[in-house]
Amino acid sequence: MKDLLKLKSSLAEEIENILNAQIKVEAHASALYLAMSSWCDDQGFDNAAAFFARQSDEERAHMLKLFKYVGDRGGRAISPEITNVPTDFESFRGVFEQTLEQEMFVTEQFNNIADLCMKSKDYVTFNFVQWFLEEQVEEEYVARRIIELFDVIGEQGTGQWEIDRHLVKVTFDEA
């Protein structure tokens, strides 16, 4: 019976574990961005609040994409418990700096998954992970560009309001 269960999954245990760890990372990011959305809303930064609400949805979609993949490969996806989500942030710029740090961390995690897939010769999962790595280029780019708005516009006077107004124009063009 144990051998039959082993055949049920085409994922190595180590790959399944690292994908489940990434599911938790994505879920935490979703909760973090939702908290940032709430904080921005409370501070009167309507566009930033909407931006982070969309980011939260996107991270949840990433989590679900991973969750489905694990199940589709015969593994067991684990719904993560999310803790330690901050509810208060030091500054408007700080939420975007934290966003960039979060996205760089996620990129590092996906690089680690890709590395493990190559070492394990799991080319199917390696191929699956490529989509996430490409997505991370956009995520980091947008965060960096929004932080640049703080440097270009400045935060004095109506600066933060101007930043909130302009951040919706920051997009990533692959071409």
Side-chain angles (χ1 to χ4, degrees), residues 96-145:
F96 289 100
E97 289 173 344
Q98 190 171 349
T99 298
L100 179 57
E101 289 173 10
Q102 173 67 28
E103 294 303 337
M104 291 172 70
F105 172 74
V106 169
T107 301
E108 180 183 352
Q109 297 308 108
F110 276 114
N111 279 328
N112 292 340
I113 294 168
D115 185 55
L116 181 61
C117 288
M118 290 302 289
K119 289 176 181 171
S120 302
K121 297 185 178 182
D122 183 347
Y123 304 114
V124 174
T125 303
F126 178 80
N127 187 53
F128 171 73
V129 167
Q130 297 311 300
W131 180 89
F132 290 96
L133 286 168
E134 290 173 17
E135 177 75 7
Q136 285 309 116
V137 173
E138 176 183 350
E139 299 293 345
E140 287 186 26
Y141 175 86
V142 168
R144 280 188 185 96
R145 292 304 305 237

Side-chain angles (χ1 to χ4, degrees), residues 8-97:
K8 179 182 173 266
S9 177
S10 55
L11 285 176
E13 184 178 348
E14 196 174 20
I15 298 292
E16 184 177 322
N17 289 342
I18 200 169
L19 291 175
N20 272 310
Q22 189 61 33
I23 287 169
K24 185 171 185 169
V25 167
E26 299 294 329
H28 188 271
S30 178
L32 174 64
Y33 291 150
L34 194 59
M36 288 175 169
S37 175
S38 177
W39 183 86
C40 286
D41 183 59
D42 186 56
Q43 301 299 309
F45 302 124
D46 295 341
N47 291 323
F51 170 83
F52 283 116
R54 284 189 305 276
Q55 288 299 112
S56 176
D57 290 345
E58 191 173 297
E59 299 305 325
R60 185 171 188 280
H62 294 171
M63 178 197 74
L64 293 173
K65 186 174 184 132
L66 287 159
F67 201 89
K68 182 178 182 330
Y69 179 81
V70 170
D72 287 350
R73 294 288 308 275
R76 183 169 177 238
I78 298 171
S79 181
E81 179 181 355
I82 306 305
T83 58
N84 300 321
V85 178
T87 57
D88 198 23
F89 300 91
E90 288 186 26
S91 68
F92 188 39
R93 181 184 181 123
V95 293
F96 289 100
E97 289 173 344

